[in-house]
């Protein structure tokens, strides 16, 4: 600003204060984002592992797992690869319903199938109820924890959950009715194709809701600061700071704000 002069000491203190705030704000937001990303991918990995353990337990799979296994029996593909293909196909159904995927949505499609196949490659089948029942129970609990982890990360719903909410919006039917109808169709189709339906499927259906609710509370992440505050804390070229440092900067810099 031509013709306007500030004492050098005052200007220096202002710049120093904002740079200190920038560093602290950057550390806070970076830690928050790191935790969210960690929860997302740990949750998706654990979901794939738990789904693989349900297969090895042999007492029945979760509803979509029944369909994936049935399709795998007829295609010769691994159940993990089938899970990826089905997830991608379901994601395409979001388009006419104008659902918007997030990082978690796309990651869900690939990560669960990859970790499921990896688990099946290293864990053998178990035999006898003394081994099958504890493994089924452990897999269901792990699945509930995985659900709490990746949903709490808030990077978008999985493709199948998005299909449910999309159908709810389009049809006006309740979430409960839409979800129940979807899972009945999925389980029936998977069973007819040869998928594993059993006591494990029933236990999963009864337990996953309470487990997910419990782990959602355990892994809940507090909301970040409002975007405007974060921008001013992180970006030394934000408008508010640019005004206070105009004299200290001999050559103006173009502000590049995150969008």
């Amino acid at each position: 600003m031509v013709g306007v002069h500030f004492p050098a000491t005052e200007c220096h203190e202002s710049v120093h204060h904002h740079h200190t705030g920038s560093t602290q704000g950057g550390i806070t937001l970076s830690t928050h984002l790191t935790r969210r990303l960690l929860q997302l991918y740990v949750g998706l990995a654990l979901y794939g592992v738990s789904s693989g353990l349900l297969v090895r337990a042999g007492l029945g799979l979760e509803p979509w797992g029944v369909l994936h296994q049935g399709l795998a029996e007829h295609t010769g593909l691994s159940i993990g690869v089938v899970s990826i293909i089905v997830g991608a196909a379901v994601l395409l159904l979001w388009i006419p319903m104008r659902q918007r995927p997030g990082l978690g949505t796309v990651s869900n499609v690939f990560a669960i199938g990859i970790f499921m196949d990896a688990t099946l490659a290293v864990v053998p089948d178990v035999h006898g109820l003394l081994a099958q029942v504890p493994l089924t129970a452990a897999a269901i609990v792990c699945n509930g924890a995985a659900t709490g982890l990746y949903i709490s990360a808030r990077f978008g719903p999985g493709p199948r959950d998005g299909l449910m909410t999309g159908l709810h919006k389009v049809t006006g039917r309740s979430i409960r009715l839409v979800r129940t109808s979807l899972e009945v169709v999925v389980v029936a189709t998977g069973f007819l194709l040869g998928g594993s339906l059993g006591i494990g499927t029933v236990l999963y259906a009864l337990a996953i809701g309470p487990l997910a609710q419990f782990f959602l509370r355990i892994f809940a992440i507090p909301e970040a600061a409002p975007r405007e505050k974060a921008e001013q804390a992180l970006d030394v070229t934000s408008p508010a700071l640019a005004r206070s440092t105009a004299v200290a900067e001999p050559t103006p810099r173009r502000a590049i704000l995150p969008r």
Side-chain angles (χ1 to χ4, degrees), residues 21-30 224-236 238 257-258:
S22 171
T23 302
Q24 293 174 344
I27 291 173
T28 301
L29 191 59
S30 176
R227 179 181 176 127
E228 293 78 13
K229 292 182 180 179
E231 285 179 344
Q232 289 191 12
L234 284 173
D235 195 344
V236 296
S238 65
L257 301 178

Side-chain angles (χ1 to χ4, degrees), residues 4-77:
V4 179
H5 301 279
F6 293 98
T9 303
E10 181 180 338
C11 180
H12 173 76
E13 289 177 351
S14 175
V15 174
H16 174 75
H17 170 76
H18 281 288
H19 274 279
T20 302
S22 171
T23 302
Q24 293 174 344
I27 291 173
T28 301
L29 191 59
S30 176
T31 302
H32 184 268
L33 180 60
T34 299
R35 179 181 170 183
R36 289 177 62 206
L37 288 169
L38 185 63
Q39 282 200 194
L40 171 66
Y41 289 108
V42 169
L44 293 177
L46 185 59
Y47 199 105
V49 170
S50 65
S51 296
L53 293 178
L54 279 175
V55 173
R56 290 305 187 214
L59 293 181
L61 307 181
E62 74 277 19
W64 284 91
V66 178
L67 176 62
H68 299 156
Q69 190 178 53
L71 290 171
E73 292 286 337
H74 287 268
T75 61
L77 300 172

